[in-house]
């Protein structure tokens, strides 16, 4: 099985159900690059007839021509044969007279009219955020095309893939709730991780995380350090600067964003810790927009205590994937020495050996919450979790807590290494449970 679809059975089922409806629809599938959006969607489509199109990073006229070419690829496959999709270039001269939306309609509406009756078609649009970022009139044209499909009784479904959803003006009439994809939980990622024991693989997860784009490069049969040397600690490695390249792809000025992420590399932080990491002088206005954008992109998670109101400003923030924390903590500060060769690699590995245990333990609460949120989490309590998070307040700080579908609450702490014994941890847990009303 591919990492992109491992542990995604519920997401595949949801997409399959959405795309099996008779009424036309628009569905956003969102998540950071490398999380497996494209592979997941194509897996869910199975043998359903589809058109796959990737929006190029070009001005609207070239985007239209690219869409026309993608739709032209399916001529003769039940979409009306020759002449269904006119060349976009033919309408460019009249753009000032007819408007951008009319130019898009000359491509989309003939495609819809050529679709066969009673058979659903799916238009998969990758990098759809480029349609949103470049105002081009595609939204009104898409809405008109879907209305035409509805009028003709043709179930056309549009699946938009992007880091974040964006307004195209079709969501209110045809849209479904966005399907958000994040890194795989440990259980889903485990078959792709190196290590002979479950504990070894758990530690490897806190290094490489659960993003499919990273997991596909791992050699499960090789030791953790060998994978690190090959993929992360050498300039030619596939993951050498993967976080930096991803950030440069998502935002225009990555330096501030990188500072926000680096502030979380040591573990979850409050707002004050992030603010100081971005601006040691204490300017609170600088970090806010960057933090908000990183949350929208799925790179950062913000959590309030489960017993606090939704409007509470008391929140903790942390990285969504362990690989970012590892890279920012152990690799990024030492890139200069790593580029000098094996001596730098050896020194970096010594630092990893000394600090990896502490780094791994800082991720255990995150992994526990992810596991309890997954379908496999019902193995622990015999019921699915309805809500999973943390609790903190006067006299209690519980990193794992939630409510089962049965209505029963659960509480947890994570202990290991030099921390208190299991018995001491349970005694402390019982005391803190008595102090919360959750």
């Amino acid at each position: 099985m591919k990492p992109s679809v491992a542990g995604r059975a519920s997401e595949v089922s949801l997409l399959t159900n959405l795309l099996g409806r008779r009424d036309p629809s628009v569905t956003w599938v969102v998540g950071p690059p490398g999380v497996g959006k494209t592979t997941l969607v194509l897996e869910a489509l199975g043998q359903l007839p589809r058109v796959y199109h990737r929006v190029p990073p070009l001005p609207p006229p070239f985007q239209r021509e690219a869409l026309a070419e993608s739709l032209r690829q399916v001529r003769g496959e039940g979409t009306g044969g020759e002449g269904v999709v006119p060349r976009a270039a033919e309408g460019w001269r009249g753009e000032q007279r007819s408007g951008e939306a009319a130019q898009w309609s000359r491509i989309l509406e003939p495609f819809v009219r050529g679709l066969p009756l009673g058979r659903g078609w799916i238009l998969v649009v990758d990098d759809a955020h480029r349609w949103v970022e470049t105002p081009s009139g595609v939204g009104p044209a898409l809405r008109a095309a879907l209305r035409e499909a509805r009028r003709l009784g043709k179930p056309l479904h549009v699946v938009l893939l992007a880091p974040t959803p964006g307004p195209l003006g079709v969501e209110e009439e045809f849209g479904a709730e966005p399907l958000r994809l994040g890194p795989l939980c440990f259980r889903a990622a485990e078959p792709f991780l190196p290590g002979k024991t479950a504990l070894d693989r758990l530690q490897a997860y806190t290094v490489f995380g659960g993003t499919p784009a990273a997991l596909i490069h791992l050699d499960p049969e090789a030791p953790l350090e060998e994978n690190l040397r090959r993929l992360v600690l050498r300039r030619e490695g596939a993951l050498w600067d993967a976080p930096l390249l991803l950030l440069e792809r998502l935002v225009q000025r990555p330096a501030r964003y990188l500072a926000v992420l680096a502030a979380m590399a040591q573990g979850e932080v409050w707002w004050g810790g992030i603010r100081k990491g971005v601006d040691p002088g204490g300017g609170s206005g600088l970090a806010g927009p960057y933090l908000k954008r990183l949350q929208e992109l799925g790179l950062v998670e913000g959590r309030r205590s489960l017993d606090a109101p939704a409007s509470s400003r008391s929140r903790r923030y942390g990285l969504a994937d362990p690989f970012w924390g590892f890279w920012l903590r152990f690799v990024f500060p030492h890139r200069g020495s790593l580029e000098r060769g094996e001596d730098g690699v050896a020194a970096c590995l010594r630092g990893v050996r000394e600090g990896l245990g502490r780094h791994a333990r800082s991720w255990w609460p995150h992994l526990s919450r992810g596991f309890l949120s997954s379908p496999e989490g019902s193995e622990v309590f015999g019921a699915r979790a309805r809500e999973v998070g943390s609790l903190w307040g006067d006299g209690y700080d519980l990193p794992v807590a939630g409510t089962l579908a049965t209505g029963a609450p659960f509480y947890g702490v994570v202990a290991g290494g030099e921390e208190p014994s299991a018995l001491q941890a349970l005694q402390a847990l019982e005391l803190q449970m008595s102090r919360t009303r959750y």
Side-chain angles (χ1 to χ4, degrees), residues 172-211:
E172 185 173 347
E173 186 173 350
F174 295 99
E177 188 72 19
L179 178 59
R180 299 180 181 275
L181 298 184
L184 301 178
C185 70
F186 167 67
R187 180 67 67 88
E190 188 176 8
F192 311 99
L193 295 167
K196 295 182 178 180
T197 68
L199 191 58
D200 290 340
R201 293 187 290 275
L202 185 66
Q203 191 172 62
Y205 182 87
T206 67
V207 172
F208 289 105
T211 300

mmCIF file of all heavy atoms in Angstrom, residues 172-211:
data_model
loop_
_atom_site.group_PDB
_atom_site.id
_atom_site.type_symbol
_atom_site.label_atom_id
_atom_site.label_comp_id
_atom_site.label_asym_id
_atom_site.label_seq_id
_atom_site.Cartn_x
_atom_site.Cartn_y
_atom_site.Cartn_z
ATOM 1 N N GLU A 172 -21.223 27.834 -1.863
ATOM 2 C CA GLU A 172 -22.517 27.924 -1.183
ATOM 3 C C GLU A 172 -23.584 27.102 -1.896
ATOM 4 O O GLU A 172 -24.432 26.477 -1.261
ATOM 5 C CB GLU A 172 -22.955 29.396 -1.100
ATOM 6 C CG GLU A 172 -24.239 29.591 -0.308
ATOM 7 C CD GLU A 172 -24.571 31.045 -0.101
ATOM 8 O OE1 GLU A 172 -23.701 31.913 -0.354
ATOM 9 O OE2 GLU A 172 -25.710 31.325 0.311
ATOM 10 N N GLU A 173 -23.532 27.082 -3.216
ATOM 11 C CA GLU A 173 -24.552 26.371 -3.989
ATOM 12 C C GLU A 173 -24.200 24.906 -4.222
ATOM 13 O O GLU A 173 -25.079 24.038 -4.191
ATOM 14 C CB GLU A 173 -24.751 27.071 -5.334
ATOM 15 C CG GLU A 173 -25.896 26.509 -6.169
ATOM 16 C CD GLU A 173 -26.166 27.328 -7.420
ATOM 17 O OE1 GLU A 173 -25.587 28.444 -7.549
ATOM 18 O OE2 GLU A 173 -26.949 26.869 -8.263
ATOM 19 N N PHE A 174 -22.937 24.604 -4.431
ATOM 20 C CA PHE A 174 -22.550 23.239 -4.809
ATOM 21 C C PHE A 174 -21.530 22.602 -3.856
ATOM 22 O O PHE A 174 -21.188 21.434 -4.015
ATOM 23 C CB PHE A 174 -21.931 23.241 -6.220
ATOM 24 C CG PHE A 174 -22.882 23.638 -7.305
ATOM 25 C CD1 PHE A 174 -22.869 24.942 -7.800
ATOM 26 C CD2 PHE A 174 -23.791 22.739 -7.826
ATOM 27 C CE1 PHE A 174 -23.745 25.327 -8.805
ATOM 28 C CE2 PHE A 174 -24.669 23.105 -8.831
ATOM 29 C CZ PHE A 174 -24.649 24.411 -9.327
ATOM 30 N N GLY A 175 -21.044 23.361 -2.876
ATOM 31 C CA GLY A 175 -19.913 22.893 -2.091
ATOM 32 C C GLY A 175 -20.263 21.932 -0.983
ATOM 33 O O GLY A 175 -21.373 21.920 -0.456
ATOM 34 N N ALA A 176 -19.280 21.109 -0.633
ATOM 35 C CA ALA A 176 -19.338 20.221 0.527
ATOM 36 C C ALA A 176 -18.277 20.685 1.515
ATOM 37 O O ALA A 176 -17.421 21.510 1.193
ATOM 38 C CB ALA A 176 -19.085 18.768 0.108
ATOM 39 N N GLU A 177 -18.323 20.158 2.718
ATOM 40 C CA GLU A 177 -17.314 20.490 3.734
ATOM 41 C C GLU A 177 -15.930 20.082 3.229
ATOM 42 O O GLU A 177 -15.750 18.968 2.726
ATOM 43 C CB GLU A 177 -17.623 19.749 5.031
ATOM 44 C CG GLU A 177 -16.767 20.148 6.206
ATOM 45 C CD GLU A 177 -17.093 21.527 6.742
ATOM 46 O OE1 GLU A 177 -18.200 22.038 6.465
ATOM 47 O OE2 GLU A 177 -16.223 22.089 7.439
ATOM 48 N N PRO A 178 -14.930 20.977 3.303
ATOM 49 C CA PRO A 178 -13.587 20.603 2.825
ATOM 50 C C PRO A 178 -13.067 19.365 3.537
ATOM 51 O O PRO A 178 -13.261 19.187 4.738
ATOM 52 C CB PRO A 178 -12.740 21.837 3.165
ATOM 53 C CG PRO A 178 -13.710 22.957 3.278
ATOM 54 C CD PRO A 178 -14.969 22.359 3.809
ATOM 55 N N LEU A 179 -12.407 18.508 2.791
ATOM 56 C CA LEU A 179 -11.756 17.330 3.359
ATOM 57 C C LEU A 179 -10.304 17.704 3.639
ATOM 58 O O LEU A 179 -9.540 17.979 2.711
ATOM 59 C CB LEU A 179 -11.832 16.161 2.376
ATOM 60 C CG LEU A 179 -11.151 14.861 2.798
ATOM 61 C CD1 LEU A 179 -11.747 14.333 4.098
ATOM 62 C CD2 LEU A 179 -11.266 13.814 1.705
ATOM 63 N N ARG A 180 -9.932 17.744 4.913
ATOM 64 C CA ARG A 180 -8.598 18.172 5.304
ATOM 65 C C ARG A 180 -7.714 16.958 5.588
ATOM 66 O O ARG A 180 -8.088 16.094 6.381
ATOM 67 C CB ARG A 180 -8.668 19.079 6.536
ATOM 68 C CG ARG A 180 -9.480 20.352 6.290
ATOM 69 C CD ARG A 180 -9.537 21.246 7.508
ATOM 70 N NE ARG A 180 -10.341 22.425 7.245
ATOM 71 C CZ ARG A 180 -9.903 23.538 6.680
ATOM 72 N NH1 ARG A 180 -8.633 23.618 6.333
ATOM 73 N NH2 ARG A 180 -10.710 24.558 6.455
ATOM 74 N N LEU A 181 -6.560 16.934 4.964
ATOM 75 C CA LEU A 181 -5.597 15.851 5.162
ATOM 76 C C LEU A 181 -4.393 16.378 5.915
ATOM 77 O O LEU A 181 -3.867 17.449 5.595
ATOM 78 C CB LEU A 181 -5.151 15.268 3.822
ATOM 79 C CG LEU A 181 -6.214 14.619 2.945
ATOM 80 C CD1 LEU A 181 -5.566 14.022 1.703
ATOM 81 C CD2 LEU A 181 -6.986 13.549 3.703
ATOM 82 N N GLY A 182 -3.959 15.621 6.907
ATOM 83 C CA GLY A 182 -2.752 15.943 7.650
ATOM 84 C C GLY A 182 -1.791 14.772 7.604
ATOM 85 O O GLY A 182 -2.021 13.781 6.897
ATOM 86 N N PRO A 183 -0.715 14.839 8.343
ATOM 87 C CA PRO A 183 0.226 13.703 8.404
ATOM 88 C C PRO A 183 -0.473 12.451 8.927
ATOM 89 O O PRO A 183 -1.441 12.524 9.686
ATOM 90 C CB PRO A 183 1.296 14.194 9.388
ATOM 91 C CG PRO A 183 1.171 15.680 9.393
ATOM 92 C CD PRO A 183 -0.267 15.980 9.165
ATOM 93 N N LEU A 184 0.019 11.298 8.513
ATOM 94 C CA LEU A 184 -0.511 10.030 9.006
ATOM 95 C C LEU A 184 -0.185 9.871 10.483
ATOM 96 O O LEU A 184 0.867 10.306 10.953
ATOM 97 C CB LEU A 184 0.103 8.862 8.232
ATOM 98 C CG LEU A 184 -0.101 8.820 6.717
ATOM 99 C CD1 LEU A 184 0.616 7.611 6.139
ATOM 100 C CD2 LEU A 184 -1.568 8.811 6.354
ATOM 101 N N CYS A 185 -1.090 9.237 11.213
ATOM 102 C CA CYS A 185 -0.782 8.902 12.595
ATOM 103 C C CYS A 185 0.250 7.769 12.618
ATOM 104 O O CYS A 185 0.519 7.135 11.595
ATOM 105 C CB CYS A 185 -2.046 8.499 13.358
ATOM 106 S SG CYS A 185 -2.749 6.902 12.861
ATOM 107 N N PHE A 186 0.828 7.517 13.779
ATOM 108 C CA PHE A 186 1.909 6.531 13.873
ATOM 109 C C PHE A 186 1.479 5.154 13.374
ATOM 110 O O PHE A 186 2.211 4.498 12.645
ATOM 111 C CB PHE A 186 2.393 6.433 15.323
ATOM 112 C CG PHE A 186 3.277 5.237 15.564
ATOM 113 C CD1 PHE A 186 4.526 5.145 14.980
ATOM 114 C CD2 PHE A 186 2.844 4.192 16.378
ATOM 115 C CE1 PHE A 186 5.341 4.037 15.195
ATOM 116 C CE2 PHE A 186 3.639 3.086 16.599
ATOM 117 C CZ PHE A 186 4.897 3.006 16.005
ATOM 118 N N ARG A 187 0.278 4.710 13.758
ATOM 119 C CA ARG A 187 -0.156 3.367 13.364
ATOM 120 C C ARG A 187 -0.201 3.216 11.850
ATOM 121 O O ARG A 187 0.199 2.183 11.303
ATOM 122 C CB ARG A 187 -1.535 3.078 13.972
ATOM 123 C CG ARG A 187 -2.109 1.696 13.632
ATOM 124 C CD ARG A 187 -1.300 0.585 14.265
ATOM 125 N NE ARG A 187 -1.406 0.593 15.705
ATOM 126 C CZ ARG A 187 -2.371 -0.046 16.389
ATOM 127 N NH1 ARG A 187 -3.305 -0.708 15.749
ATOM 128 N NH2 ARG A 187 -2.381 -0.006 17.696
ATOM 129 N N ALA A 188 -0.670 4.252 11.138
ATOM 130 C CA ALA A 188 -0.738 4.180 9.684
ATOM 131 C C ALA A 188 0.648 4.268 9.049
ATOM 132 O O ALA A 188 0.910 3.651 8.014
ATOM 133 C CB ALA A 188 -1.631 5.295 9.153
ATOM 134 N N ALA A 189 1.553 5.033 9.673
ATOM 135 C CA ALA A 189 2.894 5.220 9.107
ATOM 136 C C ALA A 189 3.846 4.087 9.462
ATOM 137 O O ALA A 189 4.880 3.921 8.805
ATOM 138 C CB ALA A 189 3.472 6.546 9.600
ATOM 139 N N GLU A 190 3.521 3.308 10.485
ATOM 140 C CA GLU A 190 4.459 2.329 11.034
ATOM 141 C C GLU A 190 5.046 1.363 10.005
ATOM 142 O O GLU A 190 6.258 1.072 10.047
ATOM 143 C CB GLU A 190 3.795 1.537 12.171
ATOM 144 C CG GLU A 190 4.758 0.633 12.907
ATOM 145 C CD GLU A 190 4.107 -0.072 14.084
ATOM 146 O OE1 GLU A 190 2.872 0.029 14.231
ATOM 147 O OE2 GLU A 190 4.833 -0.725 14.846
ATOM 148 N N PRO A 191 4.276 0.828 9.030
ATOM 149 C CA PRO A 191 4.881 -0.114 8.075
ATOM 150 C C PRO A 191 6.006 0.473 7.236
ATOM 151 O O PRO A 191 6.810 -0.276 6.675
ATOM 152 C CB PRO A 191 3.689 -0.504 7.183
ATOM 153 C CG PRO A 191 2.481 -0.224 7.996
ATOM 154 C CD PRO A 191 2.834 0.971 8.818
ATOM 155 N N PHE A 192 6.099 1.781 7.148
ATOM 156 C CA PHE A 192 7.101 2.419 6.297
ATOM 157 C C PHE A 192 8.315 2.912 7.085
ATOM 158 O O PHE A 192 9.252 3.450 6.499
ATOM 159 C CB PHE A 192 6.460 3.597 5.548
ATOM 160 C CG PHE A 192 5.163 3.244 4.892
ATOM 161 C CD1 PHE A 192 3.942 3.553 5.491
ATOM 162 C CD2 PHE A 192 5.142 2.562 3.682
ATOM 163 C CE1 PHE A 192 2.737 3.220 4.895
ATOM 164 C CE2 PHE A 192 3.942 2.219 3.082
ATOM 165 C CZ PHE A 192 2.740 2.541 3.689
ATOM 166 N N LEU A 193 8.288 2.729 8.404
ATOM 167 C CA LEU A 193 9.331 3.276 9.265
ATOM 168 C C LEU A 193 10.421 2.250 9.553
ATOM 169 O O LEU A 193 10.146 1.052 9.668
ATOM 170 C CB LEU A 193 8.720 3.732 10.588
ATOM 171 C CG LEU A 193 7.727 4.896 10.495
ATOM 172 C CD1 LEU A 193 6.964 5.051 11.808
ATOM 173 C CD2 LEU A 193 8.465 6.186 10.154
ATOM 174 N N PRO A 194 11.678 2.684 9.718
ATOM 175 C CA PRO A 194 12.752 1.756 10.082
ATOM 176 C C PRO A 194 12.694 1.415 11.562
ATOM 177 O O PRO A 194 12.192 2.183 12.380
ATOM 178 C CB PRO A 194 14.021 2.554 9.755
ATOM 179 C CG PRO A 194 13.613 3.981 9.916
ATOM 180 C CD PRO A 194 12.172 4.051 9.491
ATOM 181 N N GLY A 195 13.218 0.226 11.904
ATOM 182 C CA GLY A 195 13.253 -0.189 13.298
ATOM 183 C C GLY A 195 12.793 -1.620 13.465
ATOM 184 O O GLY A 195 11.822 -2.042 12.836
ATOM 185 N N LYS A 196 13.479 -2.362 14.348
ATOM 186 C CA LYS A 196 13.123 -3.759 14.563
ATOM 187 C C LYS A 196 11.986 -3.926 15.555
ATOM 188 O O LYS A 196 11.257 -4.910 15.515
ATOM 189 C CB LYS A 196 14.362 -4.531 15.045
ATOM 190 C CG LYS A 196 15.482 -4.611 14.003
ATOM 191 C CD LYS A 196 16.653 -5.429 14.518
ATOM 192 C CE LYS A 196 17.745 -5.539 13.459
ATOM 193 N NZ LYS A 196 18.907 -6.340 13.954
ATOM 194 N N THR A 197 11.849 -3.004 16.477
ATOM 195 C CA THR A 197 10.807 -3.104 17.491
ATOM 196 C C THR A 197 9.820 -1.949 17.322
ATOM 197 O O THR A 197 10.102 -0.947 16.654
ATOM 198 C CB THR A 197 11.388 -3.042 18.907
ATOM 199 O OG1 THR A 197 11.916 -1.718 19.137
ATOM 200 C CG2 THR A 197 12.510 -4.068 19.071
ATOM 201 N N ALA A 198 8.659 -2.073 17.972
ATOM 202 C CA ALA A 198 7.666 -1.007 17.915
ATOM 203 C C ALA A 198 8.220 0.281 18.511
ATOM 204 O O ALA A 198 7.944 1.378 18.015
ATOM 205 C CB ALA A 198 6.395 -1.433 18.646
ATOM 206 N N LEU A 199 9.034 0.166 19.575
ATOM 207 C CA LEU A 199 9.613 1.353 20.192
ATOM 208 C C LEU A 199 10.604 2.027 19.245
ATOM 209 O O LEU A 199 10.670 3.265 19.163
ATOM 210 C CB LEU A 199 10.302 0.987 21.506
ATOM 211 C CG LEU A 199 10.734 2.163 22.382
ATOM 212 C CD1 LEU A 199 9.539 3.044 22.736
ATOM 213 C CD2 LEU A 199 11.418 1.671 23.640
ATOM 214 N N ASP A 200 11.376 1.218 18.502
ATOM 215 C CA ASP A 200 12.288 1.781 17.501
ATOM 216 C C ASP A 200 11.511 2.570 16.450
ATOM 217 O O ASP A 200 11.902 3.670 16.054
ATOM 218 C CB ASP A 200 13.082 0.672 16.807
ATOM 219 C CG ASP A 200 14.103 0.021 17.720
ATOM 220 O OD1 ASP A 200 14.474 0.637 18.737
ATOM 221 O OD2 ASP A 200 14.518 -1.121 17.421
ATOM 222 N N ARG A 201 10.410 1.977 15.979
ATOM 223 C CA ARG A 201 9.622 2.630 14.933
ATOM 224 C C ARG A 201 8.913 3.873 15.476
ATOM 225 O O ARG A 201 8.733 4.860 14.752
ATOM 226 C CB ARG A 201 8.627 1.645 14.330
ATOM 227 C CG ARG A 201 9.312 0.516 13.546
ATOM 228 C CD ARG A 201 8.329 -0.354 12.803
ATOM 229 N NE ARG A 201 7.518 -1.172 13.696
ATOM 230 C CZ ARG A 201 7.874 -2.353 14.177
ATOM 231 N NH1 ARG A 201 9.064 -2.860 13.862
ATOM 232 N NH2 ARG A 201 7.062 -3.044 14.970
ATOM 233 N N LEU A 202 8.532 3.817 16.751
ATOM 234 C CA LEU A 202 7.929 4.996 17.384
ATOM 235 C C LEU A 202 8.931 6.147 17.411
ATOM 236 O O LEU A 202 8.594 7.296 17.102
ATOM 237 C CB LEU A 202 7.481 4.648 18.805
ATOM 238 C CG LEU A 202 6.726 5.732 19.579
ATOM 239 C CD1 LEU A 202 5.389 6.001 18.936
ATOM 240 C CD2 LEU A 202 6.544 5.321 21.030
ATOM 241 N N GLN A 203 10.173 5.824 17.753
ATOM 242 C CA GLN A 203 11.215 6.848 17.758
ATOM 243 C C GLN A 203 11.472 7.364 16.342
ATOM 244 O O GLN A 203 11.671 8.566 16.132
ATOM 245 C CB GLN A 203 12.501 6.283 18.356
ATOM 246 C CG GLN A 203 13.556 7.336 18.649
ATOM 247 C CD GLN A 203 14.729 6.752 19.404
ATOM 248 O OE1 GLN A 203 15.415 5.865 18.908
ATOM 249 N NE2 GLN A 203 14.961 7.237 20.616
ATOM 250 N N ALA A 204 11.453 6.456 15.361
ATOM 251 C CA ALA A 204 11.663 6.875 13.972
ATOM 252 C C ALA A 204 10.544 7.806 13.510
ATOM 253 O O ALA A 204 10.790 8.741 12.731
ATOM 254 C CB ALA A 204 11.734 5.649 13.062
ATOM 255 N N TYR A 205 9.327 7.583 14.013
ATOM 256 C CA TYR A 205 8.209 8.468 13.647
ATOM 257 C C TYR A 205 8.453 9.879 14.161
ATOM 258 O O TYR A 205 8.132 10.867 13.490
ATOM 259 C CB TYR A 205 6.903 7.922 14.205
ATOM 260 C CG TYR A 205 5.693 8.739 13.836
ATOM 261 C CD1 TYR A 205 5.008 8.511 12.637
ATOM 262 C CD2 TYR A 205 5.219 9.749 14.664
ATOM 263 C CE1 TYR A 205 3.903 9.263 12.286
ATOM 264 C CE2 TYR A 205 4.119 10.512 14.321
ATOM 265 C CZ TYR A 205 3.459 10.264 13.137
ATOM 266 O OH TYR A 205 2.357 11.017 12.789
ATOM 267 N N THR A 206 9.039 10.007 15.358
ATOM 268 C CA THR A 206 9.310 11.343 15.896
ATOM 269 C C THR A 206 10.446 12.036 15.138
ATOM 270 O O THR A 206 10.659 13.225 15.333
ATOM 271 C CB THR A 206 9.661 11.282 17.396
ATOM 272 O OG1 THR A 206 10.905 10.611 17.585
ATOM 273 C CG2 THR A 206 8.566 10.580 18.179
ATOM 274 N N VAL A 207 11.146 11.290 14.292
ATOM 275 C CA VAL A 207 12.190 11.872 13.447
ATOM 276 C C VAL A 207 11.625 12.226 12.073
ATOM 277 O O VAL A 207 11.732 13.356 11.602
ATOM 278 C CB VAL A 207 13.378 10.909 13.299
ATOM 279 C CG1 VAL A 207 14.373 11.438 12.251
ATOM 280 C CG2 VAL A 207 14.071 10.702 14.626
ATOM 281 N N PHE A 208 10.999 11.247 11.404
ATOM 282 C CA PHE A 208 10.574 11.438 10.017
ATOM 283 C C PHE A 208 9.106 11.825 9.876
ATOM 284 O O PHE A 208 8.677 12.230 8.795
ATOM 285 C CB PHE A 208 10.853 10.159 9.207
ATOM 286 C CG PHE A 208 12.303 9.925 8.953
ATOM 287 C CD1 PHE A 208 13.005 8.965 9.653
ATOM 288 C CD2 PHE A 208 12.991 10.687 8.019
ATOM 289 C CE1 PHE A 208 14.354 8.750 9.422
ATOM 290 C CE2 PHE A 208 14.330 10.482 7.779
ATOM 291 C CZ PHE A 208 15.016 9.508 8.489
ATOM 292 N N GLY A 209 8.335 11.709 10.949
ATOM 293 C CA GLY A 209 6.949 12.144 10.902
ATOM 294 C C GLY A 209 6.053 11.239 10.070
ATOM 295 O O GLY A 209 6.402 10.100 9.763
ATOM 296 N N GLY A 210 4.899 11.770 9.693
ATOM 297 C CA GLY A 210 3.898 10.967 8.999
ATOM 298 C C GLY A 210 3.481 11.520 7.652
ATOM 299 O O GLY A 210 2.426 11.146 7.129
ATOM 300 N N THR A 211 4.292 12.414 7.063
ATOM 301 C CA THR A 211 3.956 12.936 5.740
ATOM 302 C C THR A 211 4.371 11.933 4.672
ATOM 303 O O THR A 211 5.544 11.548 4.606
ATOM 304 C CB THR A 211 4.663 14.282 5.494
ATOM 305 O OG1 THR A 211 4.249 15.216 6.498
ATOM 306 C CG2 THR A 211 4.295 14.841 4.126
#
